[in-house]
Amino acid sequence: MPSPSADFFDEGALVGVLTTQPLDRLLDYKAPEGGCQIGAFVEVPLGPRKVVGVVWGPGQGDFDINKVRSVMRVLDVAPMREEMQIFLRRAADYTLTPLTAMLRLATRAPGLGDPPSMRKVYRLGHGGPDRMTDARARVMDVLESFGDTVFTLKELSEEAGVSSSVIKGLVKQRVVAEEDTPRDLPYRRLDPDHAGKALTGDQAACAETLRAAVRTGDYGTTLLRGVTGSGKTEVYLEAVAEALRQGRQALVLLPEIALSAEFLTRVEARFGARAAEWHSGVTMTERRRIWKMVGQGGAQLVVGARSALFLPFRDLGLIVVDEEHDTSYKQEDGVMYNARDMAVLRASIVGAQVVLASATPSLESWSNAEAGKYTRLDLAARFGAAVMPEIRCIDMRAETLPGNRWVSPTLQAAIRSRLAKGEQSLLFLNRRGYAPVTLCRACGNQIACEHCDARMVEHRFLKRLMCHQCGETRPMPEACPSCEVEGRLAAVGPGVERMGEEAAALFPEARIATLSSDMFGSARALKEQIGQIADGGADIIIGTQLVAKGHNFPLLTLVGVIDADLGLQGSDLRAAERTFQLMRQVAGRAGRAEKPGTALLQTFQPEHPVIRAILSGDEEGFWRAEAAGREAAGVPPYGRMAGIILSSPELQDAFDLGNALARNDAPLRQIGAEVYGPAPAPIARIRGRHRVRLLVKAPKGAPLQPAVARWISGVRAPNTLRLSVDIDPQSFY
């Protein structure tokens, strides 16, 4: 039988194929006619099915050679590079995730095995239709808002919510162009010297430091800390330009899809062409195109969500993680990874630079910069005429306010002042929906989700109750489900919808816009609403965390935080850090143009150290105090943690396994680690499954993952029980 060379296997040679199926090993196949190389994407038979896999190395040969089947075909895509294989292996080892699950993350593009046949695609044509209808307008809006993106007929009709005949009618008038095109085309080339902006002294110095780092072609990580509105984006776009000049690819990660529209517009203005866009709102056709073009070098810059980190870049020279502190970079289900940390890992393997950009860095990044592991660059002043907002607190203990109202007289007066000047105000509340609890005033029952240990939240716009844990919804009842008394259900505590009602009653002449991620049917609708607000389409904005991230409202001069104390409760070790970050970020929305801004924080605890740090602006003092507290407790980033969640339809099964793990903790004690629990998770039931949690705490340098792997390897549990491991947990629910 022919023998394989170092990286190429002749026809009939045994190859080990890693598939995306949930199997715990490589599968042996015979190389196909013409042979195949390591990293080749292949289609192989698995039982009665055809599945996609990657040639990972030589076969094991521990299977009856007469029963080994052949690879069916090699796919017409760029092979997986060795550096990508290394990245997936190391990411799997770090997160204690099966390698097959990591491969699924790296092949999230539909139709990879499809032949490159010709087909009809649709893009914007010329002129306008002879008669504009609502349906035609929706088609035009979709094509205009997606820029250069092409659609299949099915994708365009679904995105616009119209029948295919509407599109065909626009094709006849040449308003929509119908083209025969190869399935996947390279993206327009970006010009790094197209339209660079004049930078201030601080900006120019930081930009040159980043450019010089990219020119080295080596790995390095830089924390770019700049106050909100200081021009961090323009600075790191200069690093992107340098990567393009070096002929290398760049990736910019953003925490929210809603941020991508404004950012892509800035990228297009800077480089003269649109970047490739990767997130859940992108069409399947476009996702396959990006995946293939990234591997072939036909996409220079990708702007995307955390999963873009697993695209098959041919020559990645720069990764930017914008708003690096944001918790949405941590995937909390499936493969539990932190995109910020995985960005550093991937860059270290390929010799790329990482830029972690934030106005309020995570304590992990701050401490790495303090320790000299990361370079730190600071932008201390806002760009142009803009100045940092004045931040004051409103002591709610001294305010006279009815029990069903939340906007204090002091804040009301400040809003009226802005309305008189034609300026915008933002009321920030970190709760979606109408009210967080619906209570029966007859029996005291709080309406809970039937599948979770969570209270249902009233969404008055939808006339429904919703569980924010599992997504379960039900109509708002007339009578209490517990005592069946009618007319006694009351909403307790404010949500954004209730704040909208209060604002309308207090300021009947004002135009009020409510921004919450669950109030919009699509990312495009949310982008449109944000654009209208930025253009002055509202006087008062009411929003959740969504508005704290990256949006620029030039007319906004007042931010009112309704409940600044909300995040200070609870046992989360990052509660103080997150409250500090969120309050600073929200306050930073004010006064980003020529008009100075003010942020008013309503609080019942004005003496709390976090509130005092926010008001004083002593960020370094806050980080030093927070770091000292964490170091004394031996918790991240000065210690290591892992969370173990056991979930089962039967509570006793989960506790039995948890107790068995706690008793047999020798592998953990060998590295100096301690086990806490088992205990009911803070949210003890989700989707009908009981949840029990154990926490593992270890010294900073301890080999945590191998010890945890040995610890759980002896687990024998019912098929109905699930065990998940979260290394470096960000949340503790």
Side-chain angles (χ1 to χ4, degrees):
M1 181 171 290
S3 60
S5 66
D7 60 0
F8 188 85
F9 301 91
D10 295 322
E11 180 181 349
L14 274 186
V15 296
V17 175
L18 179 69
T19 71
T20 57
Q21 306 307 302
L23 304 167
D24 60 355
R25 60 192 175 88
L26 301 182
L27 302 176
D28 277 6
Y29 291 93
K30 293 175 185 173
E33 182 181 351
C36 58
Q37 68 184 93
I38 282 185
F41 285 86
V42 293
E43 189 174 73
V44 295
L46 185 63
R49 295 175 298 149
K50 302 174 186 175
V51 299
V52 171
V54 175
V55 176
W56 209 255
Q60 297 298 304
D62 55 356
F63 190 71
D64 184 350
I65 195 70
N66 295 314
K67 294 182 180 179
V68 174
R69 301 160 82 181
S70 289
V71 169
M72 299 170 78
R73 66 189 178 101
V74 177
L75 304 186
D76 184 25
V77 297
M80 180 179 284
R81 300 171 67 83
E82 182 185 12
E83 66 203 25
M84 187 67 169
Q85 288 186 286
I86 295 169
F87 172 58
L88 294 181
R89 273 198 299 266
R90 289 178 60 180
D93 290 344
Y94 189 89
T95 58
L96 293 181
T97 301
L99 198 49
T100 52
M102 299 306 304
L103 184 61
R104 278 198 295 279
L105 274 181
T107 51
R108 292 175 66 177
L112 286 182
D114 292 356
S117 55
M118 305 293 277
R119 49 131 200 216
K120 302 286 187 190
V121 292
Y122 298 82
R123 66 170 76 243
L124 200 60
H126 303 285
D130 55 3
R131 181 175 57 85
M132 184 62 82
T133 64
D134 181 55
R136 287 177 168 182
R138 290 203 299 275
V139 174
M140 304 280 286
D141 286 347
V142 168
L143 290 172
E144 286 169 0
S145 64
F146 276 84
D148 290 337
T149 298
V150 295
F151 292 82
T152 62
L153 187 63
K154 182 172 182 285
E155 286 172 343
L156 183 53
S157 62
E158 285 179 356
E159 187 68 33
V162 302
S163 67
S164 57
S165 60
V166 174
I167 298 165
K168 291 287 189 181
L170 290 170
V171 169
K172 286 180 181 175
Q173 298 184 36
R174 299 186 179 179
V175 176
V176 171
E178 181 185 74
E179 302 171 356
D180 281 323
T181 182
R183 175 146 284 177
D184 302 298
L185 291 173
Y187 289 82
R188 284 172 55 199
R189 303 294 291 174
L190 277 65
D191 179 2
D193 302 309
H194 175 71
K197 285 193 175 180
L199 302 179
T200 63
D202 275 359
Q203 289 177 326
C206 290
E208 181 49 42
T209 301
L210 293 179
R211 281 194 294 262
V214 171
R215 281 195 293 269
T216 66
D218 296 328
Y219 160 72
T221 296
T222 301
L223 174 61
L224 177 61
R225 184 196 155 275
V227 298
T228 49
S230 61
K232 291 185 295 295
T233 304
E234 296 304 334
V235 170
Y236 71 63
L237 283 181
E238 291 307 306
V240 171
E242 191 57 42
L244 300 184
R245 287 189 195 100
Q246 302 296 319
R248 303 188 75 184
Q249 294 166 303
L251 168 63
V252 177
L253 297 179
L254 301 176
E256 292 280 349
I257 294 173
L259 299 178
S260 63
E262 181 186 344
F263 183 79
L264 286 164
T265 301
R266 292 173 76 172
V267 167
E268 189 168 8
R270 173 64 182 83
F271 298 113
R274 201 169 177 84
E277 187 178 1
W278 177 273
H279 53 69
S280 59
V282 174
T283 66
M284 290 300 188
T285 303
E286 193 70 2
R287 288 177 79 165
R288 183 183 55 245
R289 177 191 176 199
I290 292 172
W291 195 94
K292 288 188 175 181
M293 288 305 109
V294 161
Q296 295 172 22
Q300 298 162 280
L301 170 61
V302 176
V303 175
R306 63 186 177 223
S307 59
L309 197 57
F310 292 89
L311 287 170
F313 290 94
R314 189 175 76 175
D315 186 7
L316 186 58
L318 174 70
I319 305 174
V320 177
V321 185
D322 200 6
E323 309 287 358
E324 64 88 25
H325 65 278
D326 198 284
T327 54
S328 61
Y329 284 124
K330 178 65 185 279
Q331 180 156 304
E332 299 279 9
D333 53 13
V335 181
M336 296 186 184
Y337 70 94
N338 189 315
R340 178 196 65 217
D341 300 340
M342 292 298 109
V344 172
L345 173 61
R346 181 150 195 197
S348 69
I349 294 168
V350 301
Q353 289 289 315
V354 180
V355 176
L356 305 176
S358 176
T360 54
S362 62
L363 188 60
E364 283 82 356
S365 297
W366 181 88
S367 65
N368 277 328
E370 286 288 292
K373 292 180 182 177
Y374 297 169
T375 302
R376 175 168 163 176
L377 299 175
D378 285 274
L379 293 168
R382 284 193 153 179
F383 181 74
V387 294
M388 287 301 292
E390 178 190 8
I391 304 178
R392 302 199 304 268
C393 78
I394 298 172
D395 186 346
M396 295 299 285
R397 298 170 301 189
E399 297 282 319
T400 304
L401 202 61
N404 63 342
R405 293 287 188 182
W406 304 91
V407 182
S408 65
T410 302
L411 183 53
Q412 289 176 36
I415 293 171
R416 287 198 176 91
S417 166
R418 297 324 189 271
L419 287 171
K421 297 177 190 172
E423 296 170 4
Q424 289 176 328
S425 302
L426 165 66
L427 293 178
F428 175 81
L429 184 70
N430 204 19
R431 294 190 186 101
R432 297 175 290 162
Y434 182 79
V437 175
T438 300
L439 176 89
C440 175
R441 293 196 191 278
C443 69
N445 179 60
Q446 297 179 9
I447 298 183
C449 176
E450 293 175 357
H451 310 288
C452 304
D453 274 4
R455 299 292 172 262
M456 297 201 83
V457 177
E458 181 183 350
H459 284 248
R460 192 156 291 188
F461 291 167
L462 302 174
K463 297 186 173 66
R464 296 185 75 81
L465 291 168
M466 182 178 293
C467 174
H468 287 173
Q469 291 304 324
C470 70
E472 176 74 18
T473 72
R474 67 173 93 149
M476 185 68 197
E478 295 290 331
C480 171
S482 178
C483 70
E484 299 184 354
V485 173
E486 293 190 11
R488 299 299 302 278
L489 292 176
V492 179
V496 286
E497 294 174 20
R498 189 171 187 180
M499 284 306 309
E501 284 186 7
E502 182 172 340
L506 289 171
F507 313 104
E509 74 284 7
R511 297 167 301 161
I512 297 169
T514 304
L515 278 182
S516 178
S517 57
D518 50 9
M519 293 177 65
F520 294 87
S522 69
R524 196 175 87 256
L526 179 57
K527 289 176 187 177
E528 287 175 0
Q529 173 77 332
I530 288 167
Q532 290 169 11
I533 293 170
D535 292 337
D539 302 310
I540 298 173
I541 307 153
I542 297 167
T544 59
Q545 272 198 43
L546 182 71
V547 298
K549 301 171 182 175
H551 303 300
N552 187 19
F553 301 127
L555 299 175
L556 182 65
T557 59
L558 175 68
V559 169
V561 178
I562 298 301
D563 188 354
D565 307 327
L566 182 64
L568 297 175
Q569 281 78 44
S571 57
D572 187 343
L573 68 89
R574 294 182 176 85
E577 176 187 357
R578 285 182 178 153
T579 299
F580 179 79
Q581 289 165 337
L582 188 56
M583 294 302 107
R584 294 290 294 180
Q585 291 271 329
V586 173
R589 297 304 106 202
R592 290 171 67 94
E594 288 78 13
K595 298 172 182 176
T598 301
L600 299 176
L601 277 57
Q602 294 190 159
T603 175
F604 288 91
Q605 305 176 64
E607 66 289 337
H608 194 288
V610 175
I611 301 296
R612 293 213 319 261
I614 293 165
L615 297 176
S616 70
D618 182 14
E619 297 196 13
E620 293 302 316
F622 172 78
W623 293 127
R624 281 193 293 272
E626 184 71 5
R630 298 255 199 108
E631 193 164 14
V635 295
Y638 304 101
R640 303 207 59 199
M641 292 188 87
I644 312 293
I645 293 287
L646 308 171
S647 73
S648 171
E650 300 298 327
L651 177 61
Q652 194 57 48
D653 287 351
F655 262 108
D656 286 348
L657 180 58
N659 284 317
L661 283 169
R663 284 194 303 271
N664 300 305
D665 64 344
L668 300 177
R669 281 187 279 111
Q670 286 168 7
I671 64 163
E674 299 173 273
V675 182
Y676 298 91
I683 301 173
R685 195 166 58 104
I686 294 181
R687 297 185 183 93
R689 296 182 67 87
H690 297 277
R691 304 170 75 247
V692 170
R693 187 183 70 181
L694 297 97
L695 275 178
V696 179
K697 182 178 157 190
K700 186 170 176 63
L704 180 61
Q705 285 91 334
V708 170
R710 289 195 303 276
W711 180 47
I712 64 175
S713 62
V715 165
R716 296 291 175 265
N719 291 335
T720 54
L721 194 144
R722 296 180 200 145
L723 183 154
S724 61
V725 180
D726 186 2
I727 301 293
D728 306 327
Q730 291 291 305
S731 61
F732 294 85
Y733 71 88

